[in-house]
Amino acid sequence: MAILRDYDDRAELQLALYNLVDTIMAIHGWTPTPEGVEWDWGPGLEAAHEGLAIAQALGDTNQIAHHFYILGWIAFTQHQYDEAEALGRQSEALFRQTRNLAMLGTVLGPLLGRVAETRRDFAEGRRLRLESLRVAEEIGNALDLGSNYAGLGYLAYLQGDYAEAARCYLRSVEHHRTLPPRKMRWVFSGTLVNIGKLWAALGDLERAAAVQSFVLTLFANSREARVWAGEELERLSVLLPREAYDAAVARGSTLEMNAALDEFLAYASRLEQTPIAAIARPVRFQPHPPAPSPRANWRSLV
């Protein structure tokens, strides 16, 4: 239960809400720490609860909905999926009421869509992503267009439809490349990791290793990216001959963003024309691969 601090009047409440923005943005963006870059949930959670209390005191429906979304996102990252869905649905209802399409799309796809995806409810995840995509198209939101195509691509990948996954990732990259460089880098790490997984599923393990090495190099300050890409590299190190693995990792570490994206775009464009039946089935990673050799220790790569 949030405790509202004492404020003298509405103007002070409004000012306090605005002053919380920097802290709450720690939830939406990256907060630097001595160990790198990671989510800082403590101050963000406290700020979100206080912001919600202030918004409720002000009767500001959009801000109430926004803080429900923030709290829902925190719950999702902490694997509290029922709580994340409940908060997301409250946020969705209020944003529909205020016709705030920009935030409605963000709640539907990136939050509720990911909850459904995590539960492997593919039909609901696709429905939410498509509705969010329609909203993003209506208002021209390139960030959500890219994010939703990436989400649809991952849903297709999970269901073994690699041609559809490639088509969706292609659209995602095309939209995200229109973003300012700093924002583009921020949203790309997860998509690039999933593109690497797709290449591995199609049997191109060297290209997959190069992509994951590229992610580790480009997003070296992101703990999440290091974990995601590092896990994939450990699996690939078991499947690839040593020389091929080392060469792929070395190539990935020297790639430049636009060159890496151009390479994927060309590949995905060709894959769009490939019949699904002709696409290789996935390489089955061992559930518990042997301990990697020192060369496969991804922590030494960053």
Side-chain angles (χ1 to χ4, degrees):
M1 184 73 177
I3 299 176
L4 186 62
R5 298 175 185 172
D6 292 329
Y7 295 99
D8 291 336
D9 55 26
R10 183 181 180 85
E12 276 200 18
L13 279 172
Q14 193 72 61
L15 179 61
L17 185 59
Y18 287 136
N19 286 340
L20 285 168
V21 167
D22 287 343
T23 306
I24 292 175
M25 283 303 293
I27 297 167
H28 291 287
W30 301 110
T31 300
T33 71
E35 297 180 354
V37 181
E38 60 182 283
W39 300 110
D40 186 356
W41 295 120
L45 182 61
E46 179 182 350
H49 277 297
E50 183 174 358
L52 176 60
I54 293 174
Q56 289 171 331
L58 289 168
D60 188 330
T61 303
N62 266 310
Q63 283 295 333
I64 293 170
H66 188 69
H67 285 79
F68 278 142
Y69 159 72
I70 292 171
L71 291 167
W73 181 252
I74 294 175
F76 174 81
T77 62
Q78 296 179 336
H79 312 294
Q80 299 168 356
Y81 302 124
D82 290 343
E83 180 73 5
E85 182 177 22
L87 288 161
R89 293 298 182 190
Q90 291 181 77
S91 179
E92 175 195 357
L94 292 175
F95 281 133
R96 287 189 189 279
Q97 178 184 322
T98 62
R99 291 286 298 166
N100 186 333
L101 295 182
M103 282 305 303
L104 174 63
T106 299
V107 172
L108 288 171
L111 177 56
L112 292 174
R114 290 190 68 182
V115 170
E117 169 195 300
T118 302
R119 291 170 168 166
R120 295 302 191 260
D121 186 346
F122 299 133
E124 177 66 2
R126 181 173 174 78
R127 184 192 70 79
L128 288 163
R129 286 289 189 179
L130 287 174
E131 183 177 359
S132 181
L133 191 64
R134 286 192 293 271
V135 171
E137 287 173 340
E138 181 178 341
I139 63 176
N141 185 331
L143 178 60
D144 278 359
L145 282 168
S147 296
N148 283 304
Y149 274 118
L152 288 167
Y154 190 58
L155 286 171
Y157 162 82
L158 291 174
Q159 296 173 87
D161 188 346
Y162 304 130
E164 177 64 14
R167 282 191 285 269
C168 290
Y169 288 146
L170 175 62
R171 301 291 176 260
S172 174
V173 171
E174 288 172 343
H175 285 293
H176 277 164
R177 288 189 87 172
T178 68
L179 298 172
R182 184 176 179 182
K183 185 173 287 188
M184 181 176 72
R185 288 168 62 93
W186 181 79
V187 300
F188 257 136
S189 59
T191 300
L192 289 170
V193 168
N194 288 336
I195 287 171
K197 288 182 178 181
L198 174 62
W199 267 324
L202 293 168
D204 194 339
L205 303 185
E206 292 179 35
R207 194 187 299 266
V211 170
Q212 304 302 354
S213 174
F214 170 63
V215 172
L216 284 179
T217 302
L218 187 66
F219 303 97
N221 287 333
S222 166
R223 176 173 293 182
E224 286 77 10
R226 294 201 307 269
V227 170
W228 297 334
E231 288 175 349
E232 291 304 307
L233 278 177
E234 289 190 359
R235 294 185 179 96
L236 290 164
S237 72
V238 175
L239 296 167
L240 278 168
R242 175 169 183 167
E243 288 186 5
Y245 174 84
D246 288 345
V249 168
R251 187 172 81 86
S253 68
T254 60
L255 280 173
E256 185 267 339
M257 170 70 90
N258 285 323
L261 295 180
D262 286 340
E263 183 175 322
F264 171 71
L265 289 172
Y267 184 87
S269 296
R270 292 194 301 272
L271 192 58
E272 279 195 294
Q273 310 304 319
T274 304
I276 293 176
I279 295 179
R281 301 310 300 165
V283 174
R284 298 297 181 187
F285 289 131
Q286 300 177 36
H288 301 288
S293 64
R295 70 182 176 82
N297 184 351
W298 58 268
R299 293 173 182 83
S300 68
L301 301 174
V302 296

